[in-house]
Amino acid sequence: MASIFYGHKKVYLVIGENKLEKDYDSALHRARNIASPLNAKRVGAKTPCAVKGDKCYDCKSPERICRGLSVLWGIPMTGEFEVILVHEELGY
């Protein structure tokens, strides 16, 4: 994220098709209730979402991995960006 906001003159974003959603609300739901629980489980976090693997519980666990959210509403003015959309699922 630092490279996107403050870093390099050229940034490449490689995105799997499973990351695309129809709108902001759907993307936020996916990030919180699909990607975060799977990532928490992958790293062995002891959070409700990792244990149950079904959704975000908005827990206050010290192992919580979803403490922040960055949203790009437009192209940052810090450099040049290229989005590479891959026709397969990459990550969660």
Side-chain angles (χ1 to χ4, degrees):
M1 293 306 302
S3 291
I4 292 173
F5 290 117
Y6 306 109
H8 305 286
K9 293 179 182 176
K10 178 107 181 184
V11 176
Y12 296 90
L13 302 170
V14 181
I15 302 170
E17 66 183 3
N18 58 316
K19 303 296 190 315
L20 299 178
E21 291 292 338
K22 64 182 179 179
D23 57 28
Y24 174 78
D25 290 333
S26 298
L28 183 59
H29 181 271
R30 184 192 174 288
R32 291 192 64 174
N33 295 291
I34 296 172
S36 287
L38 290 171
N39 274 318
K41 187 173 189 171
R42 178 181 59 81
V43 300
K46 308 274 188 297
T47 59
C49 71
V51 172
K52 295 182 180 181
D54 59 347
K55 66 176 185 169
C56 176
Y57 289 86
D58 200 21
C59 70
K60 304 299 182 232
S61 170
E63 294 187 41
R64 182 177 179 168
I65 67 167
C66 56
R67 294 170 188 247
L69 173 69
S70 295
V71 177
L72 295 174
W73 294 109
I75 299 170
M77 298 178 349
T78 57
E80 189 178 337
F81 291 79
E82 188 167 333
V83 176
I84 301 166
L85 187 57
V86 180
H87 187 58
E88 63 182 77
E89 291 192 8
L90 298 176
Y92 304 119

